[in-house]
Protein backbone atom coordinates (compact mmCIF):
# COMPACT_ATOMS: atom_id res chain seq x y z
CA UNK A 1 0.00 0.00 0.00
CA UNK A 2 2.79 2.43 0.97
CA UNK A 3 4.75 1.53 -2.18
CA UNK A 4 1.70 2.23 -4.34
CA UNK A 5 1.13 5.56 -2.58
CA UNK A 6 4.77 6.54 -3.10
CA UNK A 7 4.57 5.72 -6.80
CA UNK A 8 1.38 7.77 -7.06
CA UNK A 9 3.04 10.78 -5.41
CA UNK A 10 6.06 10.52 -7.71
CA UNK A 11 3.79 10.34 -10.76
CA UNK A 12 1.82 13.34 -9.53
CA UNK A 13 5.05 15.32 -8.96
CA UNK A 14 6.30 14.50 -12.45
CA UNK A 15 2.95 15.50 -13.96
CA UNK A 16 2.85 18.82 -12.12
CA UNK A 17 6.45 19.73 -12.92
CA UNK A 18 5.95 18.72 -16.54
CA UNK A 19 2.89 20.96 -16.85
CA UNK A 20 4.79 23.85 -15.26
CA UNK A 21 7.71 23.31 -17.62
CA UNK A 22 5.45 23.21 -20.68
CA UNK A 23 3.64 26.37 -19.60
CA UNK A 24 6.91 28.23 -19.11
CA UNK A 25 8.35 26.89 -22.35
CA UNK A 26 5.26 27.96 -24.29
CA UNK A 27 5.15 31.47 -22.82
CA UNK A 28 3.43 33.56 -23.98
CA UNK A 29 0.54 31.31 -24.94
CA UNK A 30 -1.98 34.18 -24.85
CA UNK A 31 -1.93 37.99 -24.97
CA UNK A 32 0.13 39.76 -22.33
CA UNK A 33 -1.56 42.61 -20.47
CA UNK A 34 0.42 45.71 -19.49
CA UNK A 35 -1.11 48.14 -17.02
CA UNK A 36 -0.56 51.88 -17.42
CA UNK A 37 -1.29 53.69 -14.12
CA UNK A 38 -2.33 56.89 -15.91
CA UNK A 39 -5.09 58.06 -18.25
CA UNK A 40 -5.39 57.11 -21.91
CA UNK A 41 -3.79 59.62 -24.25
CA UNK A 42 -1.08 60.73 -21.83
CA UNK A 43 2.63 60.39 -22.48
CA UNK A 44 3.04 57.09 -20.62
CA UNK A 45 0.00 55.58 -22.34
CA UNK A 46 1.12 56.64 -25.83
CA UNK A 47 4.71 55.44 -25.42
CA UNK A 48 3.47 52.14 -23.99
CA UNK A 49 1.30 51.61 -27.07
CA UNK A 50 4.32 52.26 -29.28
CA UNK A 51 6.20 49.58 -27.37
CA UNK A 52 3.24 47.17 -27.50
CA UNK A 53 3.00 47.59 -31.26
CA UNK A 54 6.68 46.84 -31.88
CA UNK A 55 7.26 44.09 -29.32
CA UNK A 56 4.91 41.73 -31.18
CA UNK A 57 7.79 41.00 -33.55
CA UNK A 58 9.96 39.71 -30.70
CA UNK A 59 7.59 38.39 -28.05
CA UNK A 60 5.49 36.25 -30.36
CA UNK A 61 2.22 37.45 -28.87
CA UNK A 62 0.02 40.52 -28.62
CA UNK A 63 0.52 42.98 -25.78
CA UNK A 64 -2.70 44.63 -24.62
CA UNK A 65 -2.56 48.03 -22.89
CA UNK A 66 -4.90 48.53 -19.92
CA UNK A 67 -5.20 52.02 -18.42
CA UNK A 68 -5.90 52.12 -14.66
CA UNK A 69 -5.51 55.77 -13.61
CA UNK A 70 -6.00 57.28 -10.18
CA UNK A 71 -4.20 57.97 -6.94
CA UNK A 72 -1.23 59.58 -8.65
CA UNK A 73 -0.50 56.27 -10.35
CA UNK A 74 -0.87 54.16 -7.21
CA UNK A 75 -4.07 52.36 -8.25
CA UNK A 76 -2.66 50.77 -11.38
CA UNK A 77 0.71 50.13 -9.75
CA UNK A 78 -1.00 48.40 -6.81
CA UNK A 79 -3.03 46.28 -9.24
CA UNK A 80 0.19 44.94 -10.75
CA UNK A 81 1.68 44.16 -7.33
CA UNK A 82 -1.30 41.98 -6.45
CA UNK A 83 -1.56 40.19 -9.80
CA UNK A 84 -0.38 36.64 -10.43
CA UNK A 85 3.36 36.55 -11.22
CA UNK A 86 3.01 34.50 -14.38
CA UNK A 87 4.15 37.02 -17.00
CA UNK A 88 0.67 37.76 -18.28
CA UNK A 89 0.17 40.94 -16.22
CA UNK A 90 2.94 43.54 -16.40
CA UNK A 91 2.98 47.21 -15.54
CA UNK A 92 4.55 50.49 -16.50
CA UNK A 93 6.52 51.34 -13.42
CA UNK A 94 6.85 55.10 -13.06
CA UNK A 95 9.02 57.08 -10.67
CA UNK A 96 6.18 58.70 -8.72
CA UNK A 97 4.26 55.55 -7.75
CA UNK A 98 7.41 53.47 -7.14
CA UNK A 99 10.06 55.77 -5.65
CA UNK A 100 8.01 58.57 -4.12
CA UNK A 101 4.44 57.63 -3.11
CA UNK A 102 5.43 54.82 -0.72
CA UNK A 103 7.14 57.41 1.48
CA UNK A 104 3.91 59.40 1.83
CA UNK A 105 2.14 56.27 3.11
CA UNK A 106 -1.42 55.13 2.59
CA UNK A 107 -0.67 52.57 -0.13
CA UNK A 108 -0.40 48.77 -0.04
CA UNK A 109 2.85 48.13 -1.90
CA UNK A 110 6.46 49.31 -2.09
CA UNK A 111 9.32 49.04 -4.55
CA UNK A 112 10.15 45.55 -3.26
CA UNK A 113 6.77 44.28 -4.47
CA UNK A 114 8.07 43.98 -8.05
CA UNK A 115 10.50 42.38 -10.42
CA UNK A 116 12.11 44.96 -12.67
CA UNK A 117 12.40 43.96 -16.32
CA UNK A 118 13.69 46.99 -18.24
CA UNK A 119 13.81 50.79 -18.11
CA UNK A 120 12.12 52.37 -21.12
CA UNK A 121 12.65 56.15 -20.97
CA UNK A 122 13.33 59.15 -18.76
CA UNK A 123 11.97 62.70 -18.58
CA UNK A 124 14.93 64.94 -17.83
CA UNK A 125 15.16 67.90 -15.46
CA UNK A 126 16.80 71.32 -15.81
CA UNK A 127 16.77 74.66 -14.00
CA UNK A 128 16.35 77.92 -15.91
CA UNK A 129 16.11 81.62 -15.02
CA UNK A 130 14.34 84.52 -16.71
CA UNK A 131 16.12 86.71 -19.26
CA UNK A 132 16.49 89.64 -16.83
CA UNK A 133 17.89 87.56 -13.98
CA UNK A 134 21.22 88.64 -12.45
CA UNK A 135 22.13 84.94 -12.46
CA UNK A 136 24.10 84.06 -15.57
CA UNK A 137 25.11 80.43 -15.16
CA UNK A 138 24.89 77.41 -12.89
CA UNK A 139 27.79 78.36 -10.63
CA UNK A 140 26.46 81.89 -10.10
CA UNK A 141 23.04 80.36 -9.32
CA UNK A 142 24.58 78.39 -6.44
CA UNK A 143 26.66 81.38 -5.29
CA UNK A 144 23.66 83.74 -5.38
CA UNK A 145 21.52 81.27 -3.42
CA UNK A 146 24.25 80.87 -0.79
CA UNK A 147 24.47 84.65 -0.40
CA UNK A 148 20.66 85.00 -0.32
CA UNK A 149 19.29 81.96 1.55
CA UNK A 150 15.59 81.33 0.94
CA UNK A 151 15.21 84.27 -1.44
CA UNK A 152 15.61 82.46 -4.76
CA UNK A 153 12.08 81.51 -5.81
CA UNK A 154 11.88 78.38 -7.94
CA UNK A 155 8.68 77.28 -9.65
CA UNK A 156 7.80 73.66 -10.32
CA UNK A 157 4.90 71.36 -11.06
CA UNK A 158 3.13 70.34 -7.84
CA UNK A 159 4.01 70.56 -4.17
CA UNK A 160 5.35 67.01 -3.95
CA UNK A 161 6.02 65.92 -7.53
CA UNK A 162 9.21 64.90 -9.31
CA UNK A 163 10.29 68.49 -10.02
CA UNK A 164 9.87 69.40 -6.32
CA UNK A 165 12.05 66.44 -5.34
CA UNK A 166 14.55 67.50 -8.02
CA UNK A 167 14.69 71.09 -6.72
CA UNK A 168 14.96 70.21 -3.04
CA UNK A 169 17.39 67.36 -3.69
CA UNK A 170 19.66 69.62 -5.71
CA UNK A 171 19.50 72.32 -3.04
CA UNK A 172 20.43 69.87 -0.29
CA UNK A 173 23.38 68.54 -2.28
CA UNK A 174 24.55 72.08 -3.12
CA UNK A 175 24.15 73.28 0.47
CA UNK A 176 21.72 76.05 -0.44
CA UNK A 177 18.21 77.07 0.55
CA UNK A 178 15.66 77.73 -2.19
CA UNK A 179 12.05 78.89 -1.91
CA UNK A 180 9.78 76.39 -3.66
CA UNK A 181 6.81 77.82 -5.58
CA UNK A 182 4.50 74.95 -6.63
CA UNK A 183 2.22 75.43 -9.66
CA UNK A 184 -0.53 73.31 -11.17
CA UNK A 185 1.70 71.98 -13.93
CA UNK A 186 5.01 72.83 -15.56
CA UNK A 187 3.54 75.17 -18.20
CA UNK A 188 2.28 77.83 -15.74
CA UNK A 189 5.56 77.58 -13.80
CA UNK A 190 7.58 78.23 -16.95
CA UNK A 191 5.23 81.09 -17.89
CA UNK A 192 5.74 82.68 -14.47
CA UNK A 193 9.50 82.49 -14.92
CA UNK A 194 9.31 84.03 -18.40
CA UNK A 195 7.15 86.83 -16.97
CA UNK A 196 9.61 87.54 -14.17
CA UNK A 197 7.18 86.56 -11.38
CA UNK A 198 9.63 83.97 -10.04
CA UNK A 199 13.41 83.84 -10.37
CA UNK A 200 13.81 80.29 -11.64
CA UNK A 201 11.94 77.19 -12.74
CA UNK A 202 12.58 73.45 -12.66
CA UNK A 203 11.20 71.71 -15.75
CA UNK A 204 12.14 69.33 -18.52
CA UNK A 205 14.53 70.63 -21.22
CA UNK A 206 11.81 69.97 -23.79
CA UNK A 207 9.52 72.40 -21.94
CA UNK A 208 12.24 75.05 -21.83
CA UNK A 209 14.07 74.83 -25.15
CA UNK A 210 11.66 76.94 -27.24
CA UNK A 211 11.67 79.70 -24.62
CA UNK A 212 15.46 79.51 -24.47
CA UNK A 213 15.74 79.78 -28.26
CA UNK A 214 13.47 82.83 -28.13
CA UNK A 215 15.70 84.43 -25.51
CA UNK A 216 13.04 84.39 -22.78
CA UNK A 217 14.90 82.09 -20.39
CA UNK A 218 18.42 80.85 -19.88
CA UNK A 219 18.85 77.15 -19.09
CA UNK A 220 21.55 77.00 -16.42
CA UNK A 221 22.16 73.26 -16.16
CA UNK A 222 20.67 69.82 -16.65
CA UNK A 223 20.51 67.29 -13.82
CA UNK A 224 22.46 64.70 -15.79
CA UNK A 225 25.90 63.10 -15.83
CA UNK A 226 26.45 63.96 -19.49
CA UNK A 227 25.48 66.93 -21.64
CA UNK A 228 22.45 66.52 -23.87
CA UNK A 229 22.62 66.31 -27.64
CA UNK A 230 19.71 68.74 -27.88
CA UNK A 231 21.44 71.27 -25.56
CA UNK A 232 25.19 70.77 -26.09
CA UNK A 233 26.07 74.18 -24.64
CA UNK A 234 24.27 73.58 -21.32
CA UNK A 235 26.46 72.10 -18.56
CA UNK A 236 25.52 69.30 -16.19
CA UNK A 237 25.10 69.55 -12.43
CA UNK A 238 28.43 67.76 -12.00
CA UNK A 239 30.15 70.36 -14.16
CA UNK A 240 28.96 73.18 -11.90
CA UNK A 241 30.24 71.34 -8.83
CA UNK A 242 27.06 69.64 -7.60
CA UNK A 243 27.04 65.86 -8.03
CA UNK A 244 23.28 65.40 -8.21
CA UNK A 245 21.26 63.75 -10.97
CA UNK A 246 17.50 63.43 -11.24
CA UNK A 247 14.95 62.61 -13.92
CA UNK A 248 11.54 61.03 -13.84
CA UNK A 249 11.31 57.67 -15.59
CA UNK A 250 9.20 54.69 -16.58
CA UNK A 251 9.90 51.06 -17.27
CA UNK A 252 8.41 47.58 -17.31
CA UNK A 253 7.68 45.83 -14.03
CA UNK A 254 6.07 42.55 -13.02
CA UNK A 255 4.62 41.20 -9.78
CA UNK A 256 7.35 39.84 -7.50
CA UNK A 257 8.15 36.18 -8.11
CA UNK A 258 8.17 36.03 -11.90
CA UNK A 259 9.65 32.70 -13.11
CA UNK A 260 13.26 33.17 -14.21
CA UNK A 261 12.71 31.76 -17.72
CA UNK A 262 9.65 33.95 -18.31
CA UNK A 263 11.57 36.98 -17.08
CA UNK A 264 14.42 36.11 -19.44
CA UNK A 265 12.03 35.90 -22.41
CA UNK A 266 10.49 39.25 -21.58
CA UNK A 267 13.89 40.85 -21.05
CA UNK A 268 15.14 39.57 -24.40
CA UNK A 269 12.02 40.79 -26.24
CA UNK A 270 12.30 44.22 -24.61
CA UNK A 271 16.01 44.45 -25.37
CA UNK A 272 15.25 43.92 -29.06
CA UNK A 273 12.25 46.26 -28.97
CA UNK A 274 14.10 49.16 -27.35
CA UNK A 275 16.83 48.90 -29.99
CA UNK A 276 14.42 48.54 -32.91
CA UNK A 277 14.74 51.39 -35.49
CA UNK A 278 10.95 51.63 -35.92
CA UNK A 279 10.47 51.96 -32.17
CA UNK A 280 13.26 54.52 -31.79
CA UNK A 281 11.91 56.64 -34.63
CA UNK A 282 8.38 56.66 -33.18
CA UNK A 283 9.66 57.56 -29.71
CA UNK A 284 11.78 60.36 -31.16
CA UNK A 285 8.71 61.77 -32.90
CA UNK A 286 6.93 61.76 -29.54
CA UNK A 287 9.78 63.71 -27.97
CA UNK A 288 10.64 60.82 -25.65
CA UNK A 289 14.17 60.45 -24.26
CA UNK A 290 14.76 56.70 -24.68
CA UNK A 291 17.12 55.32 -22.04
CA UNK A 292 16.99 51.54 -22.18
CA UNK A 293 18.54 49.79 -19.18
CA UNK A 294 18.29 46.14 -18.17
CA UNK A 295 16.43 44.95 -15.09
CA UNK A 296 19.38 45.19 -12.70
CA UNK A 297 20.24 48.75 -13.76
CA UNK A 298 16.55 49.73 -13.62
CA UNK A 299 16.23 48.40 -10.07
CA UNK A 300 19.40 50.24 -9.03
CA UNK A 301 17.90 53.48 -10.36
CA UNK A 302 14.67 52.86 -8.44
CA UNK A 303 16.58 52.20 -5.21
CA UNK A 304 18.71 55.31 -5.66
CA UNK A 305 15.79 57.63 -6.40
CA UNK A 306 13.70 56.15 -3.59
CA UNK A 307 16.49 56.99 -1.14
CA UNK A 308 16.76 60.56 -2.45
CA UNK A 309 12.98 61.03 -2.39
CA UNK A 310 12.72 59.70 1.15
CA UNK A 311 15.30 62.20 2.38
CA UNK A 312 13.51 65.13 0.75
CA UNK A 313 10.05 64.03 1.85
CA UNK A 314 11.26 63.63 5.44
CA UNK A 315 12.88 67.08 5.35
CA UNK A 316 9.57 68.58 4.21
CA UNK A 317 7.71 66.89 7.07
CA UNK A 318 5.58 64.88 4.63
CA UNK A 319 6.85 61.37 5.39
CA UNK A 320 3.94 59.02 6.22
CA UNK A 321 1.44 61.88 6.11
CA UNK A 322 -1.21 59.76 4.39
CA UNK A 323 -0.99 57.17 7.15
CA UNK A 324 -1.73 59.90 9.69
CA UNK A 325 -4.95 60.78 7.87
CA UNK A 326 -6.44 57.36 8.54
Amino acid sequence: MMKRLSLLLVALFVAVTSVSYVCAADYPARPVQIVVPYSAGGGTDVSTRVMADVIKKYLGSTMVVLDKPGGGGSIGTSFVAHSKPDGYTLGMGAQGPLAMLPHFGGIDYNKDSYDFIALQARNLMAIAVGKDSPITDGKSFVEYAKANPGKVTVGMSGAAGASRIATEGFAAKAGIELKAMPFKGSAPAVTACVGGHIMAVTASPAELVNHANAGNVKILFVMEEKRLEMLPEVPTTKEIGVDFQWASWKGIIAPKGLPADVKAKLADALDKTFKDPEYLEKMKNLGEFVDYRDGAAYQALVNNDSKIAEGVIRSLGMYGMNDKKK
Side-chain angles (χ1 to χ4, degrees), residues 140-165:
S140 67
F141 177 82
V142 173
E143 291 168 359
Y144 188 92
K146 283 183 177 180
N148 300 275
K151 293 184 179 180
V152 177
T153 52
V154 184
M156 73 279 296
S157 176
S163 55
R164 177 72 185 276
I165 301 295

Side-chain angles (χ1 to χ4, degrees), residues 4-324:
R4 185 176 299 174
L5 181 60
S6 296
L7 289 172
L8 181 61
L9 290 172
V10 169
L12 181 60
F13 174 78
V14 170
V16 169
T17 54
S18 297
V19 169
S20 299
Y21 173 77
V22 169
C23 289
D26 289 346
Y27 175 84
R30 62 179 190 271
V32 174
Q33 175 180 259
I34 184 159
V35 178
V36 173
Y38 302 115
S39 300
T44 302
D45 172 76
V46 173
S47 63
T48 303
R49 292 179 189 278
V50 169
M51 177 190 71
D53 187 51
V54 176
I55 201 172
K56 290 184 292 185
K57 295 188 286 186
Y58 307 111
L59 189 60
S61 179
T62 302
M63 183 174 279
V64 179
V65 178
L66 175 65
D67 296 304
K68 278 189 170 293
S74 65
I75 292 176
T77 306
S78 173
F79 179 85
V80 175
H82 296 94
S83 296
K84 188 176 180 181
D86 57 5
Y88 288 101
T89 298
L90 307 175
M92 288 304 296
Q95 184 191 54
L98 287 175
M100 295 165 56
L101 290 184
H103 301 305
F104 292 108
I107 56 177
D108 60 358
Y109 66 85
N110 58 47
K111 61 184 177 60
D112 298 322
S113 304
Y114 306 93
D115 282 334
F116 296 90
I117 315 300
L119 182 71
Q120 181 196 33
R122 295 187 302 128
N123 296 320
L124 312 183
M125 291 286 176
I127 285 186
V129 293
K131 62 181 180 179
D132 297 324
S133 172
I135 298 168
T136 57
D137 55 33
K139 289 185 178 180
S140 67
F141 177 82
V142 173
E143 291 168 359
Y144 188 92
K146 283 183 177 180
N148 300 275
K151 293 184 179 180
V152 177
T153 52
V154 184
M156 73 279 296
S157 176
S163 55
R164 177 72 185 276
I165 301 295
T167 306
E168 301 287 1
F170 172 82
K173 195 72 173 181
I176 58 177
E177 182 185 346
L178 302 173
K179 185 176 182 179
M181 301 288 287
F183 286 78
K184 293 182 178 179
S186 291
V190 173
T191 299
C193 184
V194 170
H197 305 294
I198 53 176
M199 292 187 67
V201 63
T202 302
S204 73
E207 293 167 322
L208 295 168
V209 66
N210 288 338
H211 291 287
N213 290 339
N216 295 322
V217 300
K218 181 175 179 58
I219 303 175
L220 302 179
F221 53 84
V222 291
M223 297 182 184
E224 292 291 303
E225 289 189 349
K226 297 179 180 179
R227 292 196 181 197
L228 305 181
E229 187 177 325
M230 67 183 292
L231 295 168
E233 75 286 354
V234 177
T236 66
T237 43
K238 186 176 288 188
E239 286 181 275
I240 67 167
V242 184
D243 191 8
F244 177 83
Q245 292 79 43
W246 184 269
S248 57
W249 38 255
K250 53 197 171 188
I252 292 75
I253 56 175
K256 193 73 174 181
L258 196 65
D261 49 358
V262 171
K263 186 175 182 178
K265 282 191 174 184
L266 282 168
D268 180 66
L270 288 165
D271 177 87
K272 292 181 172 68
T273 298
F274 293 160
K275 295 174 181 176
D276 185 283
E278 177 191 356
Y279 167 82
L280 292 172
E281 182 64 23
K282 288 182 177 180
M283 290 290 279
K284 182 179 179 180
N285 291 338
L286 289 173
E288 292 275 359
F289 185 83
V290 175
D291 186 1
Y292 163 59
R293 303 184 193 184
D294 65 19
Y298 179 20
Q299 185 167 12
L301 177 63
V302 175
N303 291 338
N304 177 74
D305 284 11
S306 177
K307 185 177 180 179
I308 291 172
E310 180 180 355
V312 171
I313 291 166
R314 285 185 182 277
S315 72
L316 296 174
M318 295 181 177
Y319 188 84
M321 67 179 189
N322 291 333
D323 290 329
K324 298 171 186 176

